[in-house]
Amino acid sequence: MSIDTHAPYYEELECLLRCAEQADAISMARFGALDLHVDTKPDHTPVTDADKAVERAIRDEVAVAYPRDTVYGEELGRDESSGRRWIIDPIDGTKNFVRGVPVWATLIGLQVGEDIVASVVSAPALGFRWFALTGQGAWMGKSVEDAQRIHVSNVSALADASLSLSSLSGWKERGNRDAVIALTDDVWRLRGYGDFWQYMLVAQGAVDIAAEPELDLYDMAALVPIITEAGGRFTDLDGHAGPWGGCGLATNGLLHDEVLQRLH
């Protein structure tokens, strides 16, 4: 199967991929730069000149292609939706970026109404890019012409499942760290791939469960179509679908209800 070029929002997907190309060029030019400028935001997380430059470039591209659409970005403003909204995390994994760890990516999702209909996650230092279009599957590759379709795993038992978490501290604040630790005891394998990567590994079928207790819309929007078009499920920790709940659980679908019950 290949993507139908006449499918709804195909042109927007092409715009997403153009944005990813620009983002990759900007971020890779600054990755490891000795003069990288790093500030600390009010929430005590870092922001670099690369974060801002990437978001600015994406905003410029969207403004030319779709001037009536609004934008919700991590660094440069968070507009309400006008019916169509582009949701941007210019560098997801900024702490990794600052420290020279190659696990970071640009995340862009297109919201139409209440749905995220297309998205791209591009991790140039890893050499990977993932994208999805509603009804057209999830894909891994640099372009529509050079991509392979991806699918979640068919693991159906926790004892056989691979779980990835970003940290344990947020679970303590949520009040269910003991439940998380108990879950880690019952799965086959625990790893901490973290940030966007653990979710993309779920979409690829390499990991079966990924969860985080505290996330913003820009952390999740681009992940949702890729997970769901790959055959998985993405909800908040109360089981509500989509990136709207301030937290995230992604699974291959087969394990989702059991994990929700364990973590609720």
Side-chain angles (χ1 to χ4, degrees), residues 189-230:
R189 196 167 190 248
L190 171 67
R191 289 293 184 268
Y193 299 108
D195 300 316
F196 72 94
W197 198 20
Q198 60 189 8
Y199 298 99
M200 296 302 93
L201 291 172
V202 170
Q204 290 176 232
V207 168
D208 311 300
I209 307 161
E212 288 182 88
E214 187 177 5
L215 294 167
D216 202 299
L217 177 58
Y218 52 73
D219 295 310
M220 296 183 282
L223 311 177
V224 173
I226 298 171
I227 292 287
T228 56
E229 286 292 321

Side-chain angles (χ1 to χ4, degrees), residues 9-36:
Y9 309 112
Y10 178 79
E11 290 185 359
E12 286 86 341
L13 175 63
E14 289 190 312
C15 181
L16 285 164
L17 293 170
R18 289 197 304 272
C19 288
E21 283 293 322
Q22 291 187 49
D24 288 359
I26 294 167
S27 57
M28 284 301 291
R30 300 301 291 152
F31 184 49
L34 295 178
D35 63 343
L36 184 71

Side-chain angles (χ1 to χ4, degrees), residues 87-260:
I87 303 170
I88 306 166
D89 189 340
I91 298 180
D92 183 60
T94 300
K95 292 177 182 177
N96 285 345
F97 186 89
V98 169
R99 292 295 300 271
V101 178
V103 183
W104 49 270
T106 296
L107 281 55
I108 319 168
L110 171 62
Q111 176 189 358
V112 177
E114 296 301 315
D115 299 316
I116 311 298
V117 299
S119 69
V120 63
V121 172
S122 195
L126 294 176
F128 298 142
R129 182 179 296 166
W130 304 262
F131 56 90
L133 180 63
T134 296
Q136 298 296 311
W139 302 80
M140 185 175 178
K142 293 295 184 181
S143 66
V144 171
E145 296 77 22
D146 180 25
Q148 62 182 38
R149 193 166 184 182
I150 56 175
H151 301 274
V152 296
S153 74
N154 59 5
V155 172
S156 59
L158 281 180
D160 300 323
S162 178
L163 164 67
S164 179
L165 301 172
S166 288
S167 71
L168 288 175
S169 57
W171 298 101
K172 181 180 180 181
E173 295 172 10
R174 190 177 174 86
N176 61 345
R177 183 161 66 173
D178 289 346
V180 172
I181 292 172
L183 179 64
T184 69
D185 288 337
D186 291 341
V187 296
W188 168 63
R189 196 167 190 248
L190 171 67
R191 289 293 184 268
Y193 299 108
D195 300 316
F196 72 94
W197 198 20
Q198 60 189 8
Y199 298 99
M200 296 302 93
L201 291 172
V202 170
Q204 290 176 232
V207 168
D208 311 300
I209 307 161
E212 288 182 88
E214 187 177 5
L215 294 167
D216 202 299
L217 177 58
Y218 52 73
D219 295 310
M220 296 183 282
L223 311 177
V224 173
I226 298 171
I227 292 287
T228 56
E229 286 292 321
R233 283 180 67 187
F234 191 106
T235 70
D236 63 21
L237 293 166
D238 291 318
H240 302 117
W244 316 110
C247 50
L249 170 65
T251 74
N252 62 3
L254 299 173
L255 299 164
H256 206 89
D257 289 337
E258 184 176 2
V259 176
L260 272 177

